[in-house]
Amino acid sequence: MKKRRGSDSVETPVASLIDVVFLLIIFFVVTASVEKDIIDTSIQLARAESVKPEQKKNPLTVIINVRDDGSYNIAKQPMRLQQIYNILYNTMMKYGAEVPILIRADAETEYRAVADLQDTITKVGFYKVRLAALAQ
Amino acid sequence: MGLAKKLGGEDKIEVPMSSMIDVVFLLLIYFIVTYKEEIPEAHLQVTLPAPSSQQAPDIPPTPPLSLEVHPREYRLKGTPMLPDTIKRVLGALAANDPEITVVIKTNVAAPMKNLITILDICNGVNLKNLNVVTLE
């Protein structure tokens, strides 16, 4: 064994360690997935017991959030009903009437806000909407 | 020279343990920082009325089942009931005819969680033909 004289002179296989670091970096870069959905987490959904959680997500889904104060936003971007109408109209023109629409309303939101939103949705021509709830 | 030292056929390799432990801690911190809890979200499908009328779009041959959602009570066919009672009655009705049209009249002042509860009960008894309208 080498005798140490005051200073550390340990032979470390630094090249191998750097290889491991690069391998890890490449692994995480390859397996990282970009989160496309900006979820408004300030909304506390009401609980539903008998419905199973949604597994597959249709990327075309229009998600409209309604906060407990009755304000609307899409991907945290505040919206007025007229803007939502325009967006839905354009979506209908582009993708047809089969686009799923999801309303994520806070449990304490008054139905009034959701009713107005639903009126806007039906004015565009969509008659089927989904309401989001927290699955147990 | 180097690390490997053969002593009578025995390999003795010096492994830099501190660096390995550093990598382990790095991985641990990475996974802690990037952990995201999955919120199980369920979607309840409802049908909305046409914008001109407040009734269900079609008049079904059998009279629709009328449910009312108010801020502090629920009513089935006009009679105030508790959710568990509604569940039992709907279960019995659904056993006869799962395709029965259910019209859920919702008071504008009712919180969303009440509506979600009723929709949850309907889904639980396999009633899929759900129409949500606003109670004037």
Side-chain angles (χ1 to χ4, degrees), chain A residues 12-14 17 21, chain B residues 15-26:
Chain A
T12 49
V14 178
L17 289 175
V21 169
Chain B
V15 177
M17 283 309 296
S18 60
S19 309
M20 299 291 193
I21 292 169
D22 285 343
V23 172
V24 166
F25 281 143
L26 181 74

Side-chain angles (χ1 to χ4, degrees), chain A residues 1 11-13 17 24 28 35 45-54 102 104-112 114-115 118 122 127-135, chain B residues 2-3 5 14 16 19 23 27 30-31 36 39-51 106-113 115-116 119-120 123-124 132-134:
Chain A
M1 296 284 275
E11 280 179 27
T12 49
L17 289 175
L24 285 172
F28 288 125
E35 194 66 50
L45 299 169
R47 288 182 185 270
E49 282 156 359
S50 27
V51 200
K52 276 182 289 189
E54 209 51 38
L102 178 65
R104 289 182 77 239
D106 191 284
E108 299 300 328
T109 315
E110 276 196 349
Y111 179 67
R112 195 188 316 267
V114 179
Q118 286 175 340
T122 50
Y127 296 110
K128 285 202 185 290
V129 298
R130 294 150 199 243
L131 296 172
L134 210 55
Chain B
L3 286 174
K5 212 177 175 185
E14 284 175 27
S19 309
V23 172
L27 285 172
Y30 174 81
F31 284 122
K36 201 178 122 185
I39 307 167
E41 209 173 272
H43 298 169
L44 303 155
Q45 186 101 24
V46 295
T47 313
L48 301 175
T106 318
N107 188 312
V108 289
M112 278 304 287
K113 60 183 178 200
L115 175 61
I116 299 282
L119 289 172
D120 186 29
N123 273 285
V132 176
V133 299
T134 312

